[in-house]
């Protein structure tokens, strides 16, 4: 193997202005080595879709109500789905917004029904069973 072929070519001399600042060069003198394939890089393009024209309902107030007043675990799940619906509406993801909205509504309905059942059982215990069987 010829040693002159394995040594990279020397860099071009740097040019300086009168004040000592480096003058930027338009192009670097780069030579491809034998067997090296040139690589072309393209800039990344990020496309953010616009918000939905007809956003899905997020049931955020309903979720906060069921979280605080009815059933805490289902209220938390409903609140997470409500926020997910809001984010999907803002990022233009219709299918995700529809799914999260449906899940938030169903969790809210289930939490409200469960809260009403628990409240009803509590009133039955207080007014009926406690008077019938005093301690």
């Amino acid at each position: 193997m010829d040693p002159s072929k394995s040594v990279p070519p020397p860099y071009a001399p740097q040019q300086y202005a009168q004040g000592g600042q480096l003058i930027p060069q338009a192009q670097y003198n780069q030579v491809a080595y034998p067997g090296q394939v040139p690589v072309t890089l393209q800039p990344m393009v990020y496309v953010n879709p616009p918000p939905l024209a007809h956003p899905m309902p997020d049931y955020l107030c309903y979720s906060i109500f069921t979280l605080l007043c009815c059933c805490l675990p289902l209220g938390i799940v409903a609140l997470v789905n409500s926020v997910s619906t809001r984010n999907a509406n803002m990022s233009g993801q219709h299918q995700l917004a529809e799914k999260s909205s449906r899940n938030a509504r169903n969790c809210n309905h289930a939490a409200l029904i469960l809260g009403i059942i628990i409240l009803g059982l509590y009133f039955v215990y207080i007014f009926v069973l406690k008077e019938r069987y005093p301690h």
Side-chain angles (χ1 to χ4, degrees):
M1 181 183 228
D2 188 13
S4 64
K5 290 185 180 179
S6 64
V7 176
Y11 291 108
Q14 298 290 327
Q15 297 178 356
Y16 291 93
Q18 193 146 3
Q21 291 184 341
L22 180 65
I23 298 174
Q25 297 177 354
Q27 194 175 34
Y28 295 106
N29 297 328
Q30 295 181 353
V31 179
Y33 293 108
Q36 183 179 10
V37 179
V39 177
T40 304
L41 297 177
Q42 295 181 355
M44 295 292 292
V45 177
Y46 296 103
V47 178
N48 292 331
L52 294 177
H54 302 289
M56 299 299 295
D58 59 4
Y59 303 106
L60 187 63
C61 293
Y62 191 16
S63 298
I64 293 171
F65 172 75
T66 56
L67 173 74
L68 298 175
C69 298
C70 297
C71 181
L72 183 69
L74 285 175
I76 292 172
V77 173
L79 185 66
V80 168
N81 281 309
S82 295
V83 172
S84 176
T85 302
R86 183 169 282 196
N87 290 340
N89 281 335
M90 293 306 291
S91 64
Q93 298 174 346
H94 181 71
Q95 291 177 341
L96 180 61
E98 186 177 359
K99 177 184 170 192
S100 297
S101 177
R102 190 176 343 104
N103 286 343
R105 185 194 63 217
N106 291 342
C107 288
N108 281 324
H109 289 340
L112 183 65
I113 291 170
L114 192 61
I116 290 171
I117 289 172
I118 290 172
L119 188 64
L121 290 174
Y122 179 72
F123 283 143
V124 166
Y125 172 73
I126 291 293
F127 294 119
V128 176
L129 296 176
K130 201 164 189 184
E131 289 178 4
R132 191 177 288 174
Y133 303 108
H135 293 319

